[in-house]
Structure formats: structure tokens, C-alpha cells
Amino acid sequence: MKSFQEIIFLLSSYWGAYGCAILQSYDLEVGAGTFSPYTFLRALGDGSWKAAYVQPSRRPADGRYGENPNRIHKHHQFQVVIKPSPDDIQDVYLKSLEVLGIDYRRHDIRFVEDDWESPTLGAAGLGWEVWCDGMEITQFTYFQQVGGFNCSPVTVELTYGLERLAMFLQKVDNVFDLNWNGKDGVEKITYRDVCLQQEVEFSKYSFEHADIENLKRHFKDAEQECLRLAELQLPLPAYDQCMKASHLFNLLDSRRALSVAERVDRIARVRALAKICCKAQLDAENTNCQG
Amino acid sequence: MDTNQENFLLELLVEEIPARFQEEAIANLKRLMVEKLEKQKIKSENIKTYVSPRRMVFLAQLEQQVPAFVEEKKGPQASAPPNVIAKFLQSLGISPDDCSEKVMDKKIFLVAHIRHPQRHTLDLLPHIVAASIREMQWPKSMHWGTHAFNFVRPIRNILCRFCDESVNIELGEINLKSTDYTFGHRFMSSGKIFAKNPSEYREKIKEAFVIIDPIERKNAILAKFTKNFSKPGVSVDVPEDLLDEVVGLVENPIVLLGQIPQKFMRLPEEALVTPMRVHQRYFPVRRNGILAPFFAFVANNAAEDDGKEIIKGNERVLNARLADALFFYETDLQKPLELHLENLKKIVFHEKLGTVFARILRICCVCDFICEEMNLGEDLRELLKRVALLSKCDLSTHMVSEFPELQGIMGGIYAAAQGENKAVCSAIGEQYKTVDEIASLPGALFSIADKIEIITGFFAIEKGPTGSKDPFALRRAAIGLIKIIKKYDLSLQLRAVVRKTFGLFNFLKCDANTVEAVIAFILDRLKIVLKESGISHEVVAAVVECDDDIMPIFAKAEILDQTLKNENGKKLITSYKRSKNILEQFGDFGNCSVDRELLTEDGERNLLDELEVLEIALEKLEISGLDPNIEFQTKISLCIALEKKITTFFRDILVNSNDEKIRFNRIGILLKLTSIFERFLPEIARISVESY
């Protein structure tokens, strides 16, 4: 049986050996590994890039007070990004599953169409969800557009859902029963031990207690700061503010504080920020090239 | 078919092609290949194409040589300036000796005779194949790597052989050259599969666990279903679209059977079937029509353990989804539907149109308006109000938040669970369904109210459809509305109901023309519905212009369409039009009353007599209270009966008499004739006669 952390170790060492820089999680709240500048901004421009990292991802609306065996507000993604996408990437990916102990002679792996689109990031890609015995374990995406800019060369993004993968490998039906450290008896640390409290408290926070007026104010602040920093040609600090705005939007959404029209409006505003950050990043790259 | 004759093999190996694109894609490839083969005059026979998630296959029997032939090409006129002629010759690389002169349209043209030598198909194929691949069209396509090349998903290999030889294709844009091999099933086969020719390919790809023919895969699945579920009373739900999708997801279909724990079987059928079909692509199993605790599914892999682990995995996934569903369902059941109204007061339907709750109140009113207009009884009125009140409550239930496609359906189920009247439950359950699925009068009436409210509302805030944009699907709503009215044969004064409904939006500052805009919009949709049912354009235009109530329009359109299909009907139209034309010739003649004393001929006397009788008959008919359709039909029959007299009049009577008094008298008769039509059968008067 593979523990939760062993899955992370195995994937890290596999992709590390492949040549990816193994990075640490980005230190801001994000909704998905894609939001991290390690993926989002790196998908821009013509340089090559190979990286892999675990990204804890927060989706306030998915919280269920720790009561649902499959739903959590914060889950972990193992994110692999490679630019340009290699010709044999499907095979390389499938080998990573073998490394995790998935035996193709006994399982059914499928690539099922799933085009990805992020309205808040102005990003889109084509690819699949990868099914293992009917369970979606990975999102496999060829980026086509980021922040409204066409991607060339194309980045391929593999996002493993670590909880799903671990539940499959450990054959457990409740995410909180996952064995985190691989020990038995009193030494065993479970997902429950690590994450239950935060699930309960953050559900309360994002559904009941997050202060709506504060969130709206923070959103506005982040928005203005982002625009100001982009103006100063500081794409990375500007993008931090864009990520914050996006997370604040998610919280407002989970508080059901937005009408349909307001929702659409704020999505458009975050997308505008993402676009401006991408523009600043591309400008910075061009300056670097010339300098 | 003798596949032994096949000598050409093309296989594109592609990363998994979305199931929904496959059929169209292979048809596209075939069309392009055939087009290009024909252009090169390569004779082809026995073309066979196949598609699977990972490959597109084109097999054919092609002639090895294209015989020499002479192509004729028309050039400039023989009298053209020498530089023009020289340019023409140069562009074709020929000398003046290769040209002859030909007379066309009384002018002399040069015709070039271009000699094409015998060519080898093998030499022509690389260009044909590469161009076909490059020209393929996709509903959605992508780039990959560093390549500026579009395809549905990355192409990974091209296997191409002709007469046991390699066809050397090079797609420079993606650094890909054709090979002599392919790969088999992703998991059940390993290594390269070499194939020299189509027959070897067919054999070896099969050995590599790939069924290239989608029809064969489909039949294999169906045969397995039949075999596994052969017990009497046992059946599998096999919707065609789901089956086709599954066929496009596998290269080697293996049918497996999973179990559903009994505790989930108390979920409503829709709540079981939706996650199975939509989310997991499973096929529900039934025993005597009732869902059984099993599901069939199609894997792509014949596993060593006969699929035991695959089954377990799939069961676990479905169980997780059903556990969620059951939790939501039971939580929802504890809360009476009305209590959700509080939430709906918080959910904004549209910024300007207010909350979902505000909408519910308006729909209640529209139900009332409809009942008033149709003189429906108090019982039905109360029932519809109850439907309206509860109709949208399920939007805030857990179940519908999780499975939005179950909206309405869950509302109906929850209403039944709390003991609502059966008619109320089915009307709630039917509200989003298509006209064919609406099975009750209250369901039909509520659906109409819902649609009138939404159309009028969005028109009131000037958000009606424009061009190709119809973000609130109002066109579909209008067509639904029309079809429901037709199906239930409802005599509904649409304008009256819309006018009252419009009054509900008086909190907005809106354009008073909204009512007319809504009516015009609905009538425009009605024209489409009528045309779709085969009614001619002229009839549609005429009836819609003369009426704005849906059922009479339908009836009149059908009657009129039939009338115009027979000779008498056509003559009637012609007579009317002829009278009109004559009247036009005389221009402005003021008031021409008919003086019997001035009648000189039988033909005019007879016609006038008949017209007077007809007018009285038509007047009586209008106050007779007959069914409007019968009334309309009778009017037409009465007019048709007059036809002979009209024909005789035109044959025997000279309207343009030298005697002015007689002339005006005769014009008066024609005026009477046309005014009778215009008054009693305006539809006939409006029909443009040109097409008859």
C-alpha cells in the first residue's frame, strides 16, 4: 500500500528524474495548481520549462464541514508542467502510473475528452480527464491560451488529484481514512489527523463567517494593487495580487454574496487582471531578451 | 467485398480523439482522399474507412498507374496580344504547336493540349495523403509542441503502404515521417506492429487487440448485452448516443457488470440513472422495467483477473456518487418545498428582473391571466397557483445543486413525497421538458405561463434575441410555447395574456411597444414552425398577417394550404387577383355603386345575384357561432362555389365598356367581389398569387 506521502515522493522522484525542477508549493491561496505562477506565467513566452510541485488548492465552495467522504475545501494537486509538450508525453505519463503501482493488466485506463477553460484566467486548453477504473485521477491538458495570449510553444499540464489517486491506491472510501505516513497502529497518521480540523473550520469560515464587506474591500485593494504593480513592470508581485483577487472572489461566491450579474462582472475583472499580468510578463521577457 | 484486392493502407495514429468527433472526422478524411485521387485521375475501388479513439484508417484498391492522357485547357482568344499568349504558353510550359483554335460563342480561342505522361500512383500518393491530412477540418483543434499545425489531438504516427511498398509522407510542420509500422492496443499489446499491406494490417491489428471498425465494436457490445441479460424480464437501457460515445472510447470493448448496494435503490430513478449515464457512461439494468441493482459498463481492457479489480474500482466510484446523492436526497426530503422560498428570495434571477421568488410571483399571476382568458374553473386555477409556487423550489435543494440536469424532476419528486396533488407533482416535473414529454394539461398550462413570463420579462428589459445571440434561449421558449398550444389545442388570446403579463413589469421603466414586440417575436417563431410542417411560404405569411392567435393560425394555415393544392382553390385565387388587376387599371374611380337597371348581360346579372347571396350567407356564418375552423372552411367552400360565375363573367363581359355608366356599374360588381374577399377571407386576399 502506498501512503499519501509516498505517492508524493514517487511522483517527485519520477518527474525529477525526467528533468523537472521539483518546486515547493506556491505560498498563496490558489484554486488549482494552474493558478501558480510556476504554471500560469511560465506557459507564456517561447522559453522551455519543466517543473513539478505539489499545490494545495482551496475551493471554498467545495467544503463540507469534514462530513462528506469525498468533498473537501482544500485538496492537493501534483502538478507537472512541461514546455514544449514532448511527443511521447502520454507514454511518459502512463509510466508514472506504473511507478505508483498501477498494473495495466488489471486496470482500465481511459483518456476521456475534457476541454479545460478557466474564465477567470482567460485560459483554455484541450485534453482529457484520465480515468482509472472509472475514477478521474488526472487532468491532462495542452494549453492553447493563457491570459488571452496564444501559447507557442505549447505547455502540457498534468494535474494528478492526489486524494483521488491515494483513495484508489489504498482502496478506501473515505478521504479522511487515508494513511498519510504509511505507519500502522499508534504511529499511523491519517488524513483525518492532518486535515479534519481545517475542513470543519474553513467550511464554517467560507460559508458562514467570512465578512462579506471585508472580502469586497480586499478584492478592490488587490485589484488596484495588481494594476499599479503591473504598471510598474513587476509582473510577479502584480500576479500575486491577481491570485488574491481570484481567491477572494471564490470566498464571496461560497458566501453566496454575489448576484448572477455581479458574479459575471467580477470574473471579468479577475480575467482583466490576469491578462494585464501576462502582458507585463511578456514585456519583461522581451526586455530581458534584448538586454 | 474482396478485401484481398486492397493495396493501399493509410493509418493515422492520434492521441485519443474525442468520441463525438470521430465519425465526422473519418468521413472528412475519406472525402478529401477521394477528391484528391480523382483529381489525379487515380482509379479507386473498395474504399473502406474505420475510426477508433486512436486511429483513422483508410483502405482502398488503387490503380498502380495513371495512363497517359491529354488535358485540354482553354486559353486567351487567338486575337489576343502576343505577350498574353506567350504568358499563357509559358505558364503551362508548352509551345504554340501544342495549341489548336476552337470557336466558342462565336469567338476563336486558343486551346492548349497538355500531354500528361503515364504516372505511377506511388509517386502521387505522398502529396495526396499529406494534403488530405493538412486540409482536415475540426470543430475544435489544437497546437502541440513547437508546431504551427492544427489537428484535433497530436498525430503520433502515419503508417502508409501501397502495393507492399512504403509511401513516403513527410509532415515537416510536425517533424513526422511515415513509417511501416503502428502500435496496437495501448495496454494489451506492446511494441511496433509492422504491416506491409492492408490484409496484413487487418490481421495484425486484430491480433494486437484493436477492433478498427466502430460497427464491429458496437455489435460486439450489443451481443454481449444480449448474452449477459438474456433472462426473461431483464433488459439494459441502451440510449443510442451513449452507446455511440462508448464505442468511441474503446478499441477493445469488454462488457462488465457491476453491482449497486441495495441501500441506494431507494433513490428516485432519475437520481440513480443520471450519475450512471451522464457522469460514468454506465448502462442501467432493469428487471421487469424497474431499475435493478446492477449496471453494465464497457472497459477497454481484458484484464488478467477477468476484470474483478476494474469492476470493484467502478463500483467504488459509483457508490461515492450515489452516497452523495442519497445524502442530498434524504436531507432535502426533511425540508418542505415551501421553506425553500426563503432562499429563492435571495437568489437573483436577473439584476433587473429581480429574484427567483419575484419571478415565481409573476408566474402565479400569468397562470391566473391564462385561466381568466380561457375561462378555466376555480379548481384548475388553484392547482396552477400551487404548481407555480412550488415550481422553482428545487433550485435551492442539495440534489439540484449537485445534479443541475435534475431540475424540475426533483421538484416533482419532492412534491409527491410531501403529499401534493398528483397533477401538481407532474406539472412541476414536466416544466423543463419538451412538448412531447408534457403529458398533462396543468403541465402544459404552467409551462406556457413560465415561458410567457420569461419572454415578456426579457423583452421588457430589452434583452430579446438579436442576430445569432439568444443568451436566455427565448427562441426555444417561444417555439416550445407554440408547440404546446398546438398539442393541447388551446384557444388562448395571446395578446391579451402578454399585455397583462407586461403589466407585471411596470416596476421597470419599459417601452410600451414591448407587447407588440413580444407578439411579433412569437409570430415569427410561429412562421418557422408552420414552414417546418410543410406549409408554403405564401400561406404562412398571409395567415400570420391576418391573425395573432396561435390555434386559428394553425387551422387556417392547414385549410388554406390544402385549398391551394387543388385546382378550384388555385382558380379562386386567380379570380381574385384578376379582379384586383382590372380594378387597378381603372385607377381611382371613387364610389361605384351597382345599379341593377344598368345590367345588360346574363353573365353580370348572374354574378351579382350570386354575390348578394354569398354576402348574406357569409354574414350569417360569422354570427352562427360555428367552430371557427369549420366557419373558415365553409367560407372557402362558399366562395369556391361561385367560381363558375366569376369565370363566365370574365369570359363574357367587357368591363371596359364604351358607355361610362355601364363601365362603372361593372367596376362596381368587381369591387363588390373583392371587398367580400377582403372582408370575409382576408387571408385569400393577401396571398401573393405569383406562385400559383
Side-chain angles (χ1 to χ4, degrees):
Chain A
M1 190 211 57
K2 303 278 189 295
S3 67
F4 192 71
Q5 65 196 30
E6 203 183 345
I7 295 169
I8 296 174
F9 299 153
L10 287 168
L11 288 174
S12 302
S13 67
Y14 178 80
W15 289 105
Y18 181 76
C20 290
I22 302 301
L23 307 176
Q24 302 307 307
S25 320
Y26 199 72
D27 55 343
L28 276 185
E29 305 104 322
V30 292
T34 312
F35 276 77
S36 161
Y38 302 148
T39 294
F40 188 69
L41 293 180
R42 290 286 182 165
L44 292 164
D46 31 338
S48 57
W49 177 242
K50 280 183 193 166
Y53 54 93
V54 175
Q55 184 63 55
S57 305
R58 298 191 189 211
R59 295 183 182 170
D62 281 355
R64 291 292 183 272
Y65 298 85
E67 288 165 8
N68 185 299
N70 301 295
R71 291 295 173 90
I72 41 184
H73 101 285
K74 181 153 95 182
H75 68 291
H76 298 79
Q77 298 185 338
F78 191 92
Q79 176 90 350
V80 180
V81 275
I82 304 173
K83 181 171 81 168
S85 65
D87 283 350
D88 58 350
I89 185 62
Q90 277 190 316
D91 294 329
V92 178
Y93 162 74
L94 288 171
K95 277 205 189 93
S96 78
L97 298 184
E98 268 181 294
V99 166
L100 293 175
I102 296 176
D103 180 352
Y104 298 135
R105 287 166 303 181
R106 304 173 84 84
H107 294 285
D108 183 32
I109 311 283
R110 228 89 72 70
F111 290 82
V112 180
E113 180 193 12
D114 188 34
D115 298 339
W116 169 81
E117 209 166 324
S118 165
T120 43
L121 289 179
L126 264 62
W128 311 272
E129 33 183 62
V130 182
W131 286 14
C132 179
D133 299 346
M135 179 185 275
E136 181 195 343
I137 53 169
T138 307
Q139 281 278 340
F140 194 128
T141 309
Y142 291 100
F143 280 9
Q144 302 295 303
Q145 232 188 31
V146 157
F149 295 93
N150 286 335
C151 297
S152 173
V154 169
T155 298
V156 64
E157 175 200 63
L158 309 172
T159 305
Y160 300 78
L162 286 173
E163 282 82 358
R164 295 249 189 128
L165 200 54
M167 286 170 79
F168 174 79
L169 290 167
Q170 296 187 14
K171 298 188 168 53
V172 302
D173 295 330
N174 187 332
V175 65
F176 295 104
D177 291 339
L178 284 174
N179 185 329
W180 192 295
N181 66 346
K183 299 288 185 193
D184 288 324
V186 286
E187 288 190 297
K188 177 162 126 179
I189 299 175
T190 64
Y191 198 88
R192 180 176 287 106
D193 299 327
V194 181
C195 299
L196 182 62
Q197 188 188 350
Q198 70 180 18
E199 282 304 317
V200 176
E201 292 181 5
F202 276 97
S203 295
K204 284 184 184 163
Y205 170 72
S206 46
F207 292 126
E208 301 163 36
H209 300 299
D211 187 282
I212 292 173
E213 289 316 309
N214 270 345
L215 292 175
K216 287 188 175 171
R217 203 175 54 242
H218 292 332
F219 182 93
K220 211 170 161 192
D221 288 345
E223 186 180 38
Q224 283 169 357
E225 194 71 339
C226 176
L227 294 171
R228 192 174 68 83
L229 293 169
E231 187 85 0
L232 292 170
Q233 288 300 316
L234 296 170
L236 290 176
Y239 185 63
D240 269 15
Q241 298 299 322
C242 170
M243 281 187 275
K244 285 186 188 183
S246 168
H247 180 62
L248 289 160
F249 162 78
N250 287 341
L251 283 169
L252 282 166
D253 206 24
S254 69
R255 283 289 273 126
R256 290 194 172 215
L258 305 174
S259 74
V260 179
E262 264 186 294
R263 215 174 160 269
V264 173
D265 173 59
R266 274 174 206 266
I267 289 175
R269 279 158 73 184
V270 177
R271 183 167 57 234
L273 296 183
K275 214 168 179 167
I276 285 165
C277 294
C278 288
K279 174 83 172 50
Q281 171 68 14
L282 284 169
D283 289 347
E285 274 184 37
N286 289 338
T287 319
N288 290 345
C289 288
Q290 286 153 11
Chain B
M1 179 201 64
D2 186 359
T3 54
N4 284 330
Q5 301 295 312
E6 290 174 343
N7 56 10
F8 176 71
L9 156 65
L10 170 66
E11 186 214 62
L12 299 185
L13 191 72
V14 183
E15 294 185 2
E16 277 75 356
I17 308 166
R20 64 198 169 110
F21 299 153
Q22 290 168 17
E23 196 181 324
E24 185 56 37
I26 192 67
N28 188 206
L29 179 67
K30 181 178 177 180
R31 191 178 49 74
L32 287 165
M33 284 290 294
V34 168
E35 204 177 275
K36 291 176 200 308
L37 288 167
E38 275 172 7
K39 201 170 168 204
Q40 294 292 344
K41 304 204 181 301
I42 301 172
K43 283 204 182 116
S44 60
E45 271 180 274
N46 292 333
I47 294 174
K48 287 277 157 194
T49 53
Y50 305 102
V51 66
S52 83
R54 292 182 69 206
R55 53 200 99 220
M56 287 182 274
V57 182
F58 180 100
L59 306 174
Q61 179 190 347
L62 305 180
E63 245 174 7
Q64 297 192 39
Q65 268 104 30
V66 184
F69 68 97
V70 177
E71 180 190 3
E72 287 195 355
K73 194 160 191 170
K74 186 183 149 196
Q77 287 192 42
S79 57
N83 64 330
V84 173
I85 292 175
K87 213 169 182 186
F88 171 68
L89 297 176
Q90 201 187 348
S91 73
L92 297 172
I94 53 172
S95 71
D97 300 343
D98 297 321
C99 291
S100 62
E101 290 181 353
K102 208 169 188 176
V103 181
M104 278 175 267
D105 286 337
K106 295 177 190 162
K107 287 177 189 151
I108 304 166
F109 286 89
L110 284 183
V111 173
H113 301 266
I114 308 159
R115 267 168 254 283
H116 291 277
Q118 173 178 309
R119 290 162 309 156
H120 297 284
T121 301
L122 185 62
D123 300 331
L124 300 171
L125 281 170
H127 177 74
I128 292 174
V129 174
S132 298
I133 295 171
R134 287 189 180 110
E135 286 170 31
M136 281 192 77
Q137 301 277 326
W138 301 96
K140 243 182 175 182
S141 63
M142 58 168 275
H143 295 281
W144 65 95
T146 52
H147 318 305
F149 183 79
N150 262 302
F151 215 70
V152 63
R153 289 292 185 275
I155 308 178
R156 290 311 181 201
N157 189 60
I158 302 169
L159 160 62
C160 194
R161 305 278 300 176
F162 179 59
C163 292
D164 292 350
E165 288 191 69
S166 306
V167 180
N168 297 314
I169 297 151
E170 188 169 352
L171 288 180
E173 313 91 305
I174 52 170
N175 280 330
L176 198 66
K177 285 182 183 169
S178 57
T179 63
D180 296 337
Y181 56 82
T182 182
F183 295 88
H185 187 279
R186 208 187 258 295
F187 303 109
M188 298 177 70
S189 151
S190 64
K192 294 170 179 169
I193 312 282
F194 288 87
K196 287 204 284 288
N197 52 47
S199 71
E200 206 174 286
Y201 173 79
R202 283 178 185 276
E203 193 180 312
K204 286 194 169 175
I205 202 76
K206 202 172 201 169
E207 284 168 12
F209 302 99
V210 175
I211 303 177
I212 51 173
D213 186 352
I215 295 169
E216 209 180 316
R217 293 198 298 276
K218 190 189 239 180
N219 289 339
I221 294 170
L222 288 173
K224 208 60 200 253
F225 280 166
T226 316
K227 195 177 151 212
N228 286 0
F229 307 103
S230 57
K231 277 197 191 143
V234 178
S235 65
V236 198
D237 284 1
V238 192
E240 194 70 14
D241 52 346
L242 179 61
L243 180 62
D244 285 339
E245 187 187 357
V246 167
V247 164
L249 285 174
V250 295
E251 293 206 300
N252 180 37
I254 305 291
V255 173
L256 298 170
L257 187 64
Q259 266 196 311
I260 303 169
Q262 199 59 45
K263 65 176 174 193
F264 296 127
M265 298 311 290
R266 64 175 183 271
L267 274 166
E269 178 168 319
E270 290 86 348
L272 279 163
V273 168
T274 304
M276 274 197 245
R277 271 190 201 156
V278 182
H279 300 267
Q280 295 298 133
R281 279 83 161 177
Y282 297 159
F283 299 88
V285 177
R286 289 174 192 277
R287 193 179 284 143
N288 300 322
I290 297 161
L291 277 189
F294 298 103
F295 62 94
F297 67 102
V298 183
N300 187 32
N301 197 358
E304 277 179 351
D305 59 354
D306 293 328
K308 281 198 188 72
E309 289 219 35
I310 298 176
I311 292 170
K312 256 192 227 154
N314 279 278
E315 285 175 348
R316 229 178 1 241
V317 178
L318 184 62
N319 287 353
R321 285 194 184 274
L322 295 181
D324 267 5
L326 190 62
F327 173 78
F328 294 145
Y329 178 60
E330 296 193 325
T331 313
D332 287 341
L333 280 178
Q334 284 162 19
K335 186 170 175 178
L337 277 177
E338 294 95 314
L339 294 187
H340 288 284
L341 290 173
E342 277 309 308
N343 276 344
L344 299 185
K345 286 179 187 167
K346 289 183 216 145
I347 300 179
V348 176
F349 169 70
H350 184 279
E351 209 181 355
K352 288 187 180 158
L353 299 174
T355 62
V356 174
F357 182 73
R359 215 187 141 226
I360 292 175
L361 296 182
R362 287 194 296 266
I363 299 174
C364 279
C365 296
V366 183
C367 286
D368 244 5
F369 302 154
I370 293 175
C371 291
E372 278 166 25
E373 286 303 320
M374 295 179 62
N375 282 322
L376 299 172
E378 201 53 36
D379 287 357
L380 192 50
R381 191 182 281 221
E382 284 309 310
L383 190 145
L384 283 176
K385 275 194 176 165
R386 185 72 186 155
V387 173
L389 191 71
L390 299 181
S391 60
K392 311 293 175 191
C393 286
D394 67 351
L395 293 181
S396 99
T397 62
H398 295 285
M399 202 65 168
V400 174
S401 309
E402 183 66 15
F403 302 105
E405 56 270 65
L406 292 180
Q407 65 174 355
I409 294 170
M410 289 319 299
I413 291 168
Y414 292 144
Q418 69 183 43
E420 297 292 331
N421 176 327
K422 260 194 174 167
V424 170
C425 304
S426 50
I428 295 174
E430 287 167 358
Q431 59 179 309
Y432 303 102
K433 294 192 171 172
T434 62
V435 59
D436 299 329
E437 295 168 308
I438 294 181
S440 69
L441 178 64
L445 293 173
F446 174 75
S447 181
I448 291 170
D450 193 2
K451 291 177 165 76
I452 290 179
E453 193 278 341
I454 203 167
I455 296 171
T456 311
F458 280 112
F459 269 79
I461 58 166
E462 289 169 42
K463 293 275 181 196
T466 48
S468 61
K469 283 195 188 128
D470 183 13
F472 307 104
L474 302 184
R475 290 189 179 122
R476 200 176 59 201
I479 287 186
L481 173 81
I482 291 162
K483 290 187 170 169
I484 295 168
I485 290 177
K486 167 92 170 25
K487 177 177 170 184
Y488 282 88
D489 193 3
L490 304 173
S491 60
L492 180 67
Q493 293 288 328
L494 199 58
R495 177 172 272 109
V497 177
V498 171
R499 189 176 299 123
K500 286 182 183 173
T501 304
F502 176 64
L504 299 172
F505 293 94
N506 57 13
F507 63 93
L508 300 161
K509 280 188 195 129
C510 43
D511 191 347
N513 291 326
T514 303
V515 174
E516 288 317 307
V518 170
I519 297 292
F521 169 70
I522 294 174
L523 291 182
D524 260 355
R525 299 299 110 190
L526 178 57
K527 285 185 190 169
I528 294 172
V529 174
L530 285 170
K531 279 178 208 162
E532 274 172 6
S533 68
I535 309 278
S536 76
H537 173 78
E538 292 75 13
V539 170
V540 170
V543 288
V544 171
E545 217 174 308
C546 297
D547 216 321
D548 54 20
D549 216 357
I550 292 174
M551 274 328 287
I553 290 181
F554 265 111
K556 285 182 184 172
E558 262 165 43
I559 294 168
L560 211 49
D561 202 55
Q562 282 309 313
T563 305
L564 295 185
K565 277 189 181 129
N566 68 48
E567 278 310 307
N568 288 334
K570 280 179 204 166
K571 275 188 197 153
L572 191 66
I573 296 282
T574 318
S575 304
Y576 170 78
K577 189 75 182 175
R578 196 165 165 192
S579 317
K580 271 309 235 194
N581 285 342
I582 294 171
L583 289 175
E584 261 167 41
Q585 280 169 30
F586 291 102
D588 189 13
F589 31 73
N591 182 20
C592 299
S593 53
V594 183
D595 183 352
R596 279 201 168 266
E597 298 300 314
L598 294 169
L599 299 175
T600 57
E601 311 284 328
D602 279 352
E604 51 184 337
R605 202 170 289 120
N606 287 344
L607 181 60
L608 183 64
D609 289 349
E610 291 282 339
L611 283 175
E612 279 169 354
V613 173
L614 175 70
E615 192 171 15
I616 291 163
L618 289 172
E619 264 165 6
K620 274 190 187 161
L621 198 57
E622 288 213 328
I623 53 164
S624 68
L626 266 181
D627 173 279
N629 300 346
I630 298 175
E631 182 190 313
F632 185 67
Q633 179 75 68
T634 314
K635 282 180 183 173
I636 289 181
S637 305
L638 286 174
C639 291
I640 285 177
L642 197 72
E643 175 51 36
K644 269 214 172 98
K645 300 284 184 309
I646 301 175
T647 315
T648 315
F649 178 87
F650 283 134
R651 192 191 61 206
D652 298 348
I653 310 295
L654 178 70
V655 178
N656 197 9
S657 163
N658 291 330
D659 182 337
E660 190 178 71
K661 278 184 189 165
I662 292 181
R663 188 162 76 233
F664 278 120
N665 210 42
R666 287 175 181 166
I667 289 173
I669 295 175
L670 287 181
L671 266 177
K672 194 170 182 66
L673 172 76
T674 54
S675 70
I676 287 177
F677 275 95
E678 276 146 28
R679 184 171 147 209
F680 295 99
L681 282 173
E683 291 82 3
I684 298 263
R686 279 177 200 260
I687 281 199
S688 111
V689 94
E690 279 75 12
S691 58
Y692 293 97

